Amino acid sequence: MKRTDRIGILQKELETHGLSAALIAGEVNRHYLTYAGIGEGALLITGDDAVFFTDARFIDHAREKVWGCEIRCAQQPLKEAAGLLLSTGLKSCGLEYERVSAACYLELKEMLPGIRLCPSEGVDGILADMRRIKDDYEISCLKKAQEIGDEAYLHMLEFIRAGMKESEVKMELGTYMVKLGSENYGMNFIVSSGKKTAYPHGGSGDGEITNGSFVMMDFGGMIEGYSADMTRTVAVGYADEEMRNVYDTVKEAKALGLSLLKPGVTGWSVHMAVSDYIAGRGYSGRFTHGLGHSLGLEVHENPRCNAWDTSVLKAGEMMTVEPGVYLEGKYGVRIEDMGILTGDGFENFTKSANELMILK
């Protein structure tokens, strides 16, 4: 698939913002700009040039994967990038305000006498705005990652049974997704059961799945570093009337949220509508997190659908919709889909069923 010249776009933005150069040290932004997740490195971008520095451990990988810039092997990537910047005679350089430590900033000031470093006027905002709108390459990766999640969920419906440990479910889920092509080897997702489903992030320990309990799985595949995100909650053995009512409330809340997503609305307004709906069903105060978030190279990106993000949503932005009801000491239910805002609405990438599945 054709790739967007993201470095070229950033170079134009630097000129617009009165910056002579940008020094990108954060791994995620380096990945975004070069299409390669390299563990160590520094990327120096000037008005008409871009050089990626990395050490000998990663140089072969960089030569294979990095796109759109020169590649140089450097024992100390940041120091050598700073040396190149100093040699250009440029007078200002944008830094990643949120991703450069105070120690790194002080080190760069010492290495770059006479160059105005601009953390407060840095490139974070520029890159954040660029990353909000997904290009065709990103959309393709995210769709493939979600397809893996949907297929894995079907597999787990046949796998989960009473008596299993949560760790067994998590390992099977992660292993199966890797077999399908996911790069999410870290298995950094949530599997919880019973009372632990009342904790949005699953709590700690390794519980045993019992009949009459919920199992919550919050997971996603990963393609080229782009992570999908979905949640499904299933019941094992049986579900009583209250469990079914909680589940139906969350399912209907998700449908409401999906119906409200479109360009021109705020994430705040969508979140509040869903929160009010859940409260009206008798669960006031039991929906304890934001309704959704964008995602891409990071699982949680901006914009958000929550109680404080009042930015206006735009076509091309990703969003999850993940309402939940959490009853302390009993159980919780969350259902999550993900997709993209289109010109007039929302395209849901998640195809898994929403009905309550009771696994025997």
Side-chain angles (χ1 to χ4, degrees):
M1 177 173 289
K2 183 179 179 181
R3 298 183 178 187
T4 303
D5 181 10
R6 297 169 182 168
I7 289 175
I9 294 172
L10 179 58
Q11 286 170 326
K12 292 178 182 177
E13 289 291 334
L14 292 176
E15 183 178 1
T16 299
H17 287 77
L19 293 170
S20 303
L23 184 53
I24 310 299
E27 183 175 351
V28 174
N29 283 330
R30 285 192 282 105
H31 188 161
Y32 174 75
L33 291 165
T34 67
Y35 292 84
I38 306 297
E40 191 72 34
L43 175 62
L44 178 64
I45 299 173
T46 60
D48 56 5
D49 202 6
V51 182
F52 179 81
F53 297 84
T54 191
D55 66 49
R57 296 171 299 167
F58 303 101
I59 190 64
D60 289 342
H61 187 199
R63 287 169 178 156
E64 179 184 353
K65 293 291 187 178
V66 167
W67 188 85
C69 60
E70 180 186 346
I71 301 162
R72 296 187 190 181
C73 189
Q75 188 172 355
Q76 296 178 287
L78 189 62
K79 184 175 181 179
E80 297 202 29
L84 177 60
L85 175 60
L86 194 61
S87 72
T88 63
L90 297 174
K91 298 303 181 183
S92 66
C93 181
L95 302 179
E96 299 163 284
Y97 183 66
E98 295 181 358
R99 298 175 189 268
V100 173
S101 68
C104 181
Y105 175 66
L106 292 174
E107 183 182 7
L108 285 169
K109 281 192 71 173
E110 186 176 343
M111 288 191 292
L112 296 168
I115 296 179
R116 182 173 63 90
L117 300 180
C118 311
S120 59
E121 309 160 27
V123 295
D124 296 271
I126 299 171
L127 286 168
D129 285 344
M130 288 173 61
R131 287 174 56 190
R132 283 174 76 119
I133 306 298
K134 307 307 181 192
D135 60 28
D136 290 344
Y137 175 88
E138 293 174 293
I139 293 168
S140 174
C141 291
L142 287 161
K143 280 186 173 181
K144 289 177 183 177
Q146 180 53 43
E147 288 170 2
I148 289 173
D150 283 326
E151 188 169 342
Y153 175 63
L154 291 176
H155 173 71
M156 298 312 293
L157 295 178
E158 301 295 325
F159 178 82
I160 297 170
R161 63 182 184 275
M164 283 183 171
K165 291 286 192 178
E166 294 162 351
S167 58
E168 293 180 71
V169 176
K170 186 172 184 177
M171 286 188 287
E172 178 66 19
L173 178 56
T175 301
Y176 192 78
M177 287 197 296
V178 169
K179 289 178 179 178
L180 293 174
S182 174
E183 301 164 1
N184 196 353
Y185 306 110
M187 301 186 189
N188 53 334
F189 42 80
I190 298 166
V191 173
S192 60
S193 67
K195 293 181 179 180
K196 287 169 61 180
T197 57
Y199 308 141
H201 285 177
S204 58
D206 187 14
E208 182 177 310
I209 296 169
T210 60
N211 279 315
S213 67
F214 279 129
V215 175
M216 183 185 295
M217 296 171 285
D218 187 336
F219 62 101
M222 179 187 289
I223 296 293
E224 297 296 331
Y226 286 85
S227 296
D229 195 8
M230 66 179 289
T231 305
R232 287 298 183 268
T233 304
V234 301
V236 177
Y238 63 91
D240 62 27
E241 184 177 353
E242 184 185 42
M243 292 169 70
R244 292 173 183 270
N245 186 61
V246 171
Y247 190 93
D248 286 344
T249 297
V250 175
K251 181 179 74 170
E252 291 161 13
K254 182 174 73 72
L256 173 62
L258 291 170
S259 72
L260 295 174
L261 280 176
K262 61 182 179 180
V265 304
T266 64
W268 175 87
S269 67
V270 179
H271 168 85
M272 294 307 299
V274 172
S275 181
D276 288 347
Y277 174 81
I278 291 172
R281 288 289 297 264
Y283 298 108
S284 179
R286 300 300 184 180
F287 175 35
T288 55
H289 54 75
L291 178 65
H293 55 86
S294 187
L295 68 168
L297 288 172
E298 295 174 289
V299 178
H300 295 89
E301 296 186 356
N302 291 325
R304 315 279 176 131
C305 283
N306 59 28
W308 49 89
D309 190 340
T310 58
S311 62
V312 176
L313 300 179
K314 301 176 182 177
E317 293 175 339
M318 293 292 300
M319 188 59 64
T320 68
V321 176
E322 48 182 301
V325 170
Y326 308 95
L327 304 182
E328 184 179 359
K330 299 178 74 173
Y331 48 74
V333 171
R334 181 166 67 253
I335 311 173
E336 176 184 15
D337 290 1
M338 59 162 275
I340 193 165
L341 279 92
T342 62
D344 58 0
F346 185 78
E347 180 187 350
N348 193 346
F349 291 177
T350 310
K351 307 305 180 187
S352 295
N354 293 289
E355 289 73 22
L356 175 59
M357 308 300 293
I358 300 177
L359 311 183
K360 302 295 186 180

